[in-house]
Amino acid sequence: MQALVIHGKQDLREETLPLAELAPGKIRLRMAFGGICGSDLHYYHEGANGAFVVREPLVPGHEMAGVVEHDPSGELAPGTPVTLHPATFGVSQRGLEGKPHLWPQGAYLGSASTWPHTQGGMSEYLDVEPGMIRVLPESLPLERAALAEPLAVALHGIAVAGGVESQRVLVCGAGPIGLLATAAALAKGAAEVSITDVLEGPLSRARALGVQHTYRVGETPLPEEAFDVVLECTGVPASINAAIVAVRRAGVIAQIGMMPASAQPLALAPLISKEVELRGCFRFFDEIDEAIALLAADTRFDDVITHVLPASDAQNAFAIAKDSEASGKVLISLWA
């Protein structure tokens, strides 16, 4: 089968890999689209995603959509359109019984966090556990369905924040996750949604989604104490500090954007004096089901996708995805 394989820093190859015999209890999928995520960009451009170094050839991809190729049980017919929950949950811990996405020893498609690495879905075929599969409604095209995983991340952030209905929401960062968080907040009844970014290109894409206000960092100052909920999608200390100032007293900041493991310069005095809650967010549990429903019902999510390139042009796709001015979500059309 054909696959995209990262061998190290800026070493991405289209290769022919052996197609193993389907293991008992698994279902074989034929992949159609894969979204390029921030972690995929790190693996390609740097050879590592934080502490997780590419130590063996890695097939990236956890934002996937495709069709059933073969289900030995006969429950899913060939050609059934699907997307994936990319997590394999680990071992339950006391106090985390209802949060399996936080259980240790879990795995995620396309990740070098495990050894051997957990291979991803940017391949012609992918064999998965039945519990990872989500069958798509007829109204949801495969291309848009590839947004289900990153939209689930955004929805989890909204859930961690306590919801956004009738709230004044600020989204920090208009990259793909920020745009999806914006569209989700609008769809879920926020009173108004504002967004920040350092670049005009991402802000123009946010305006197309229907945000009420855009703030270009360094040019347009954020109002103080003007927002009930902040969805921080950058992980940049300066942006987090601005969010702490912009959120109202007793407001909530959901930290969706990942930060480096090293110590970071955060100005926490206003967070303390205003009794602001800063809540961490990590991946998601079951929000992918809500994501599928939202994607099926709302075509505005198509505007988040700016580029769809063939697997034969994958290196160019990864270069475009790194250019935040030029691109929102970049998809790779696979071999279906």
Side-chain angles (χ1 to χ4, degrees):
M1 68 172 179
Q2 297 303 109
L4 298 176
V5 186
I6 296 174
H7 288 260
K9 182 177 180 180
Q10 296 185 344
D11 186 358
L12 175 67
R13 311 174 196 174
E14 182 180 349
E15 298 183 356
T16 301
L17 302 180
L19 184 61
E21 184 178 347
L22 185 61
K26 292 203 172 182
I27 296 173
R28 177 160 292 168
L29 306 179
R30 187 177 181 98
M31 307 316 300
F33 294 99
I36 299 177
C37 173
S39 61
D40 300 323
L41 289 175
H42 285 298
Y43 284 131
Y44 170 64
H45 288 288
E46 302 160 24
N49 181 31
F52 306 134
V53 179
V54 176
R55 294 180 287 160
E56 67 173 346
L58 174 69
V59 178
H62 53 257
E63 303 178 359
M64 310 305 304
V67 298
V68 173
E69 178 74 10
H70 178 52
D71 177 5
S73 74
E75 292 185 15
L76 296 176
T80 300
V82 299
T83 188
L84 293 171
H85 191 312
T88 301
F89 298 127
V91 180
S92 181
Q93 300 285 298
R94 182 171 178 266
L96 298 178
E97 292 83 0
K99 298 184 176 183
H101 60 292
L102 298 181
W103 293 353
Q105 302 177 40
Y108 218 70
L109 291 178
S111 174
S113 65
T114 56
W115 182 258
H117 296 340
T118 303
Q119 301 299 324
M122 288 193 184
S123 53
E124 192 173 4
Y125 299 102
L126 182 66
D127 299 345
V128 299
E129 301 287 344
M132 300 174 75
I133 293 174
R134 300 293 190 274
V135 175
L136 302 178
E138 291 184 3
S139 59
L140 181 54
L142 285 174
E143 189 172 301
R144 195 190 311 154
L147 297 175
E149 192 276 347
L151 177 56
V153 171
L155 289 169
H156 182 65
I158 289 174
V160 166
V164 295
E165 185 175 359
S166 301
Q167 302 295 297
R168 299 167 299 169
V169 177
L170 174 66
V171 178
C172 294
I177 292 293
L179 292 175
L180 289 168
T182 296
L186 290 165
K188 290 176 73 66
E192 65 175 34
V193 180
S194 303
I195 195 165
T196 72
D197 205 275
V198 297
L199 299 172
E200 177 55 31
L203 292 177
S204 67
R205 288 186 280 276
R207 283 191 285 270
L209 293 174
V211 298
Q212 283 80 10
H213 306 286
T214 59
Y215 297 91
R216 187 163 181 180
V217 177
E219 292 186 3
T220 310
L222 279 169
E224 296 185 12
E225 301 190 15
F227 304 98
D228 305 301
V229 174
V230 179
L231 306 174
E232 209 297 312
C233 299
T234 73
V236 176
S239 178
I240 300 170
N241 289 336
I244 293 171
V245 174
V247 73
R248 66 163 168 82
R249 295 167 188 251
V252 175
I253 301 171
Q255 187 56 47
I256 301 172
M258 182 58 71
M259 300 183 70
S262 58
Q264 301 294 306
L266 296 179
L268 297 180
L271 179 142
I272 296 166
S273 65
K274 294 197 295 182
E275 292 192 3
V276 171
E277 295 185 45
L278 177 61
R279 302 176 182 174
C281 309
F282 185 66
R283 293 178 180 164
F284 59 91
F285 172 30
D286 57 3
E287 288 88 352
I288 196 163
D289 300 307
E290 182 184 3
I292 291 168
L294 276 179
L295 290 169
D298 197 335
T299 59
R300 98 175 85 194
F301 287 98
D302 287 335
D303 292 335
V304 176
I305 301 170
T306 58
H307 298 78
V308 181
L309 285 85
S312 59
D313 201 17
Q315 290 189 10
N316 187 35
F318 273 74
I320 292 171
K322 190 178 181 182
D323 184 351
S324 300
E325 176 67 40
S327 69
K329 175 57 67 178
V330 177
L331 301 184
I332 293 180
S333 176
L334 300 168
W335 296 271

